[in-house]
Amino acid sequence: MEEVKKEEELRKGDQNLMGNSGLLFDIPLMDLLAGQDFTPSLFELLSAAPPTTTLPPPSSAVPESSEVLNTPPTPNSSVSCSSNEKAFDADDGDLREKSPFNKQLKAKKKNQKRIREPRFAFMTKSEVDHLDDGYRWRKYGQKAVKNSPYPRSYYRCTTAGCGVKKRVERSSDDPSVVVTTYEGQHIHQSPIMPRGALTAAAAFASPQPPLVFPQPQYTYTPAPPVDVRFDAAFHSFGEERRRIEGSFQDHGLLQDMIVPSSALHIPEEE
DNA sequence: CGCGTTTGACCGGCGC
DNA sequence: GCGCCGGTCAAACGCG
């Protein structure tokens, strides 16, 4: 199993596509749906989106690595996203407490294959590494990344009981691109509720999240569901969302978000 | 004083 | 088995 490598490779592919303003979705929707929740997070937004692209039919053997890429049309910030998960287990650990039990937990995990939470990687063209997405994060580590001159930072949601983590790293291919990988689901709403997020939050407060997302006030015609999914996702991400939205309004570069359907499918190697 | 960041150490998974 | 690497811990430190 080289899921990590595969993931990295895929990510690189994403980055390459990024360079061409690629938009890519290749999510194991079943997994996403399994992880559905009612908090205004990207995960629900994405999971609630209808299957659109030429996704390979989710079989029993769901690809471990599926990447989604999204490149919004912004001069100063662009975003792509990816998901990667095999199984959804919100209780998997990452709420680990800082106690002597940690080691026991680790020992426990030895027996069962480590189950990771759903992950979504966003590629954001930004000068700042840590983007304000409306949640409060605490940095708990930083590591140098192989094949990249830039370090990777690890953040955890500071809200009690919320074990959502995110990794932030700068693309080695394009230093202006920040890759933010979210892992897990927020069990709460954004403590910093931005204007736009309010809308999104309201939309998702209902037991059944609507499949139709609050439409952005962009000047373009949102069209492929993929794109709807994309910008809907941003509606849940505070400052960054606003930044992006502003850019959309200013430039309306929808074409940058759209890629040929052929590019929407990442060939799985298995 | 509380909260967040920094940073070196540690651990587990994986490939060779 | 060993080494590499990613991910996490936790003490020290900084800041408001």
Side-chain angles (χ1 to χ4, degrees):
Chain A
M1 296 301 180
E2 300 181 349
E3 57 181 303
V4 175
K5 276 190 181 175
K6 212 189 280 179
E7 193 176 327
E8 284 178 357
E9 287 169 9
L10 284 168
R11 185 176 299 159
K12 277 201 172 176
D14 286 353
Q15 291 169 356
N16 293 335
L17 285 168
M18 252 298 283
N20 299 328
S21 298
L23 168 63
L24 228 149
F25 276 93
D26 189 313
I27 307 174
L29 292 172
M30 301 300 276
D31 292 346
L32 291 175
L33 289 170
Q36 198 164 0
D37 196 348
F38 302 129
T39 54
S41 77
L42 267 181
F43 312 119
E44 302 83 323
L45 290 164
L46 288 171
S47 66
T52 55
T53 63
T54 55
L55 293 173
S59 63
S60 55
V62 176
E64 282 198 358
S65 295
S66 52
E67 295 283 330
V68 178
L69 210 155
N70 224 322
T71 303
T74 61
N76 297 325
S77 64
S78 60
V79 180
S80 67
C81 80
S82 71
S83 78
N84 165 349
E85 218 30 59
K86 178 184 213 170
F88 178 75
D89 184 356
D91 292 329
D92 173 48
D94 292 314
L95 296 178
R96 4 169 150 183
E97 298 162 13
K98 297 170 182 178
S99 74
F101 294 116
N102 289 355
K103 285 175 186 173
Q104 292 178 14
L105 288 174
K106 279 183 185 174
K108 248 189 184 178
K109 284 185 180 179
K110 237 184 167 182
N111 295 333
Q112 58 187 70
K113 274 266 181 182
R114 188 170 59 169
I115 302 172
R116 290 193 200 157
E117 303 192 12
R119 289 194 288 177
F120 289 88
F122 278 79
M123 301 184 72
T124 308
K125 208 161 191 173
S126 171
E127 291 177 8
V128 291
D129 288 353
H130 192 194
L131 302 166
D132 180 1
D133 56 14
Y135 292 92
R136 291 174 62 85
W137 302 92
R138 173 189 167 88
K139 188 175 185 178
Y140 66 89
Q142 178 173 311
K143 286 285 288 187
V145 184
K146 208 190 169 190
N147 298 326
S148 173
Y150 307 99
R152 174 183 297 162
S153 298
Y154 299 89
Y155 296 88
R156 204 193 313 268
C157 183
T158 59
T159 301
C162 182
V164 176
K165 290 176 287 188
K166 78 171 178 182
R167 276 171 288 181
V168 178
E169 64 184 287
R170 208 162 267 283
S171 168
S172 57
D173 292 343
D174 185 353
S176 66
V177 173
V178 175
V179 180
T180 305
T181 305
Y182 290 87
E183 184 171 340
Q185 286 191 302
H186 291 285
I187 60 171
H188 56 94
Q189 292 187 349
S190 169
I192 306 168
M193 201 56 96
R195 289 166 297 223
L198 278 171
T199 310
F204 287 92
S206 61
Q208 284 292 333
L211 290 177
V212 178
F213 301 107
Q215 290 298 310
Q217 299 172 358
Y218 309 148
T219 53
Y220 63 78
T221 306
V226 165
D227 295 327
V228 173
R229 210 194 304 187
F230 160 75
D231 49 55
F234 288 123
H235 269 257
S236 70
F237 278 77
E239 191 60 35
E240 177 63 8
R241 183 198 70 78
R242 265 180 278 142
R243 210 176 294 142
I244 291 167
E245 184 172 347
S247 299
F248 279 6
Q249 289 173 327
D250 288 342
H251 301 278
L253 303 173
L254 176 61
Q255 64 272 19
D256 286 348
M257 289 175 58
I258 304 173
V259 294
S261 57
S262 59
L264 293 174
H265 174 57
I266 298 178
E268 293 290 341
E269 292 183 15
E270 284 184 345

